Amino acid sequence: MLGILRSIVQEVNSARDLSEALDIIVSRVQKAMGTEVCSVYLLDPASNRYILMATEGLYKDAVGNVSLAHSEGLVGLVGSREEPINLEDAPSHPRYRYFPETGEERFSSFLGVPIIHHRAVLGVLVVQQRENSRCFDEGEEAFLVTISAQLAGVIAHSEATGAISGLSLTGEEAHDVCFSGVPGAPGVAIGTGTVVYPSADLDVVPEKPAEDIDHELELFWSAVQAVKEDIERVANRLASQLRPEEQALFDVYLRMLDDGALPGEVVSKIQEGIWAQGALKQVIQQYIRHFEMMDDLYLQERMVDIRDLGRRLLSHMQEGEQKHLEYPERTVLVSEELTPAMLGEVPKGQLVGLVSVKGSSNSHVAILARAMGVPTVMGLVDIPVNQLGGRELVVDGFEGQIFASPSADLRAFYQAICEEEDELFRGLEELRDKPCETLDGHRVPLLVNTGLMTDVVRSLSHGAEGIGLYRTEVPFMIKDRFPSEQEQREYYREQLEAFAPNPVTMRTLDIGGDKALTYFPIQEENPFLGWRGIRVTLDHPEIFLLQVRAMLKASEGLNNLQIMLPMISNVSEVEESLHLIYRVYHEVREEGYDVHMPKVGVMIEVPAAVYQIRELADRVDFVSVGSNDLTQYLLAVDRNNPRVAQLYHSYHPAVLQALVRIAQDTHAVGKPVGICGELAGDPGGALLLMAMGYDSLSMNAASLPKVKSVIRSVDREWAVQLLQDVLLLDSPHVIKSCVDLALRNAGFGRYLRPVKTPVCEQTAI
Ligand code: PEP
Ligand code: MG
């Protein structure tokens, strides 16, 4: 069965569109199960009806014409119960509905299973049989359930692709097609989708027509020539080390590139009007499908060669292409997985929004986006990325949804929100030089989280009183080797100088987890529980010592440096780090630099550290909570995984209790405690943290004016009462609603979300 399942999934995966995918499903399932009928009904979001979309065994004319209301008939029953229904004699069931146009009356056994994707019912897969005696057995039911679960994602993707081209399931025009993801950075952007994709990846090459067929042919032939030369070069280089039969493998490669072979097929597709990269993709995928279905292991191996050849040809065709990418005036960057480098490619002032398939609201690219104030939606798992290029997109970073090709009404609606937001920020500018102080005189310094120099510029203009977290790994991530001591010194000096005499807290390199350096790859099964942060740098003292040396030298004459240690999970890590820092301090002074010993602090990000606060705080000068990681580790929810994003909640009672305890225990040993996770930049979160006694709040620059405005408008006592109230509650959602309500009642509703935004009703997924 597994083999059949695999081959059905492969075939469906490579279908060109939804209707081809569904036709493949019904015909293959009907054959595999030996039944007379197999049909797929999909739920049309526009009409909320199940439409017969494909069938093998019922009258074909019924396809697209037969539909059932949401809870009508056995199909509706399967959908609403969200579980299989297996009947020997379907017509005797009270929910049975008869449609003469399908020819269905002849069939009596019925097995229907729901097609569910991310908790949403997409449709129902049904098999039927004529004679009464056939009752589908448990094995058959399990097979159908497995097929349906495996195909749900493909169906969702094909549906979305159709919808994005302006078609609903029924082939009618679709408007305001909406896709739901996770909010990455707040705000609304209206702009033109620009797809950036990793080079030499055939799977993400978009389908588009050739603008100039001769030019495309020329591009292709020169790529073929270049690849042939590459292969000949490699073959010659290895000639002395290989036996003749191994050498023959290169001849196989070269033969595949003969005019009449693979290139001939690509050329005929280009001549049909497809651009060269798209034609290559289609041909290579056809070959791969063909080889995948073969049982012969030798031939399956050839698939690897084909894939490799395809990648080589594509890589030659793409040379320099990304560099020539034209960014529209208002660019909404769309990618499978956005990287900080991609953001950096967009010319200044043209980037208005970000859309990423992978990642979640606490991915580092989302944090960067918040720092830059670029509205972002992450974790749009099923969007047809390739279809979004050149389309007008609305990015709703408040709700975590995007709309493609918006109608005039929807555009006007969001345009008004953009204007309202701009106005709000203009109103907040006057707060820049005012202290962050409650009405009853409680002062809470607002600091900023930085990584790039642009963050510094923005933070100064927003009135930050220092840096609470400088993520030193950011400059490391945009290089192709470890930066030298001198280079690091320059980065650090910029940050220290910009804020002197205010404190600048530099965190030692925090790589691992989702923060990878291309030149220092770490391969792990479970990276967030692996070699991260201080664990890496203590194992590589040469990296740690060099970094601390660069920090100390950069601080000469300014003396506003503070050093912070990430991912601490025991006291010996603190002691070892302090030992190394002291050592560097003495060495640097001996070299003649007039530097002061910086304050050193620990980050509380690991649950173990919450229970050892006193021991840890005793050894250092300050404590700072990394609530992003603390939330992920306390709740066992990967901060980057959109599938579990709904469970990632910094308002979870367990997280709030931990935060209260950290503040109390740090103060008990007489040390200051700050916070530098994203919760500090959330107006409601900031109020709770202030009430818990946090001495400073560090956040992304864009959040700072809103947080200041809220804190300046309340009494501390009011916030303390709010905290006491929410600590009695047991659900993160209820706590969040309670805090939101308090903010609305205090007149800050607009800081949560400007107005009621449309929700994804016509969701394509
Ligand atoms: C945190 O974990 O809260 C934190 C501030 O660090 P980062 O987001 O860089 O992991
Ligand atoms: Mg962290």
Side-chain angles (χ1 to χ4, degrees), residues 262-468:
L262 190 143
E265 293 180 49
V266 178
V267 164
S268 63
K269 291 221 180 268
I270 298 176
Q271 281 163 343
E272 282 167 25
I274 304 172
W275 74 314
Q277 294 186 27
L280 176 71
K281 171 186 174 166
Q282 286 190 8
V283 171
I284 296 287
Q285 287 187 339
Q286 253 166 25
Y287 271 94
I288 291 175
R289 276 203 297 277
H290 193 69
F291 281 119
E292 268 176 347
M293 276 189 255
M294 296 185 175
D295 289 331
D296 184 320
L297 279 181
Y298 171 79
L299 290 174
Q300 277 194 11
E301 279 303 307
R302 298 286 63 78
M303 184 179 82
V304 179
D305 299 341
I306 293 276
R307 207 193 289 279
D308 182 48
L309 263 189
R311 203 183 45 74
R312 284 166 186 273
L313 288 165
L314 184 67
S315 156
H316 277 283
M317 284 193 269
Q318 284 181 338
E319 254 166 31
E321 192 190 60
Q322 290 272 359
K323 284 191 211 99
H324 297 138
L325 195 68
E326 294 232 343
Y327 292 96
E329 202 54 32
R330 300 184 59 75
T331 297
V332 173
L333 219 51
V334 182
S335 183
E336 280 288 327
E337 185 162 26
L338 285 172
T339 62
M342 289 176 179
L343 272 55
E345 297 281 333
V346 186
K348 215 164 168 235
Q350 286 178 227
L351 180 65
V352 299
L354 297 171
V355 171
S356 182
V357 172
K358 292 196 181 145
S360 185
S361 61
N362 280 289
S363 305
H364 284 93
V365 76
I367 292 177
L368 207 62
R370 286 196 284 274
M372 293 164 69
V374 183
T376 299
V377 179
M378 307 285 294
L380 283 148
V381 185
D382 296 299
I383 48 162
V385 170
N386 294 335
Q387 310 285 324
L388 297 181
R391 286 184 196 278
E392 188 178 24
L393 300 178
V394 173
V395 180
D396 179 348
F398 292 107
E399 290 299 305
Q401 56 193 24
I402 67 165
F403 293 87
S405 310
S407 59
D409 280 355
L410 193 82
R411 194 184 307 109
F413 176 85
Y414 274 106
Q415 190 60 43
I417 294 179
C418 291
E419 283 157 21
E420 205 177 312
E421 277 281 286
D422 288 349
E423 197 189 312
L424 183 68
F425 270 100
R426 276 196 298 278
L428 292 175
E429 265 169 22
E430 65 188 42
L431 293 182
R432 203 189 95 151
D433 299 318
K434 303 221 165 97
C436 180
E437 189 174 278
T438 56
L439 292 173
D440 49 353
H442 177 77
R443 244 336 236 113
V444 195
L446 296 191
L447 312 174
V448 75
N449 296 346
T450 61
L452 300 169
M453 199 50 205
T454 52
D455 301 335
V456 171
V457 178
R458 281 174 64 89
S459 343
L460 286 170
S461 69
H462 286 67
E465 296 173 61
I467 296 182

Side-chain angles (χ1 to χ4, degrees), residues 187-232:
V188 166
I190 304 175
T192 311
T194 305
V195 180
V196 276
Y197 44 91
S199 51
D201 183 350
L202 275 170
D203 294 338
V204 297
V205 167
E207 306 277 345
K208 61 179 187 183
E211 277 168 21
D212 176 349
I213 291 186
D214 290 339
H215 176 66
E216 294 297 313
L217 284 171
E218 214 175 286
L219 266 179
F220 177 66
W221 281 122
S222 72
V224 171
Q225 192 49 36
V227 172
K228 275 186 178 170
E229 284 165 17
D230 285 352
I231 294 171
E232 277 161 5

Side-chain angles (χ1 to χ4, degrees), residues 568-571 574 602 604 608-610 612-620 623:
I568 293 292
S569 59
N570 59 56
V571 289
V574 181
V602 286
I604 306 299
V610 177
Q612 274 204 300
I613 288 291
R614 291 169 193 243
E615 292 81 351
L616 293 168
D618 254 344
R619 287 168 168 80
V620 291
V623 160

Side-chain angles (χ1 to χ4, degrees), residues 22 61 114 176 180 198 218-219 242 250 314 334 361 384 391 409 455 472 508 515 542 556 564 604 651 689 755 761:
L22 299 178
D61 286 353
D176 298 340
S180 278
E218 214 175 286
L219 266 179
L242 297 177
F250 291 105
L314 184 67
V334 182
S361 61
R391 286 184 196 278
D409 280 355
D455 301 335
T472 56
T508 59
K515 285 179 282 192
E542 78 284 13
E556 195 184 26
M564 187 156 80
I604 306 299
Y651 282 95
L689 292 163
V755 278
E761 274 161 9

Side-chain angles (χ1 to χ4, degrees), residues 362 364 367 449 469 471 473 507 510 514-515 528 532 564 566 603-605 625-631 639 648 675-678:
N362 280 289
H364 284 93
I367 292 177
N449 296 346
L469 165 64
R471 291 185 166 96
E473 57 280 2
R507 175 169 74 184
D510 184 23
D514 67 331
K515 285 179 282 192
F528 274 114
R532 268 200 82 180
M564 187 156 80
M603 285 190 80
I604 306 299
E605 303 179 275
V625 181
S627 55
N628 306 337
D629 277 315
L630 185 61
T631 305
R639 62 194 266 186
Y648 184 97
I675 180 157
C676 56
E678 293 297 304

Side-chain angles (χ1 to χ4, degrees), residues 64-77:
N65 295 320
V66 163
S67 72
L68 296 95
H70 186 256
S71 48
E72 192 182 356
L74 291 173
V75 166
L77 191 63

Side-chain angles (χ1 to χ4, degrees), residues 644-655:
V644 287
Q646 305 305 330
L647 296 174
Y648 184 97
H649 226 303
S650 294
Y651 282 95
H652 191 293
V655 177

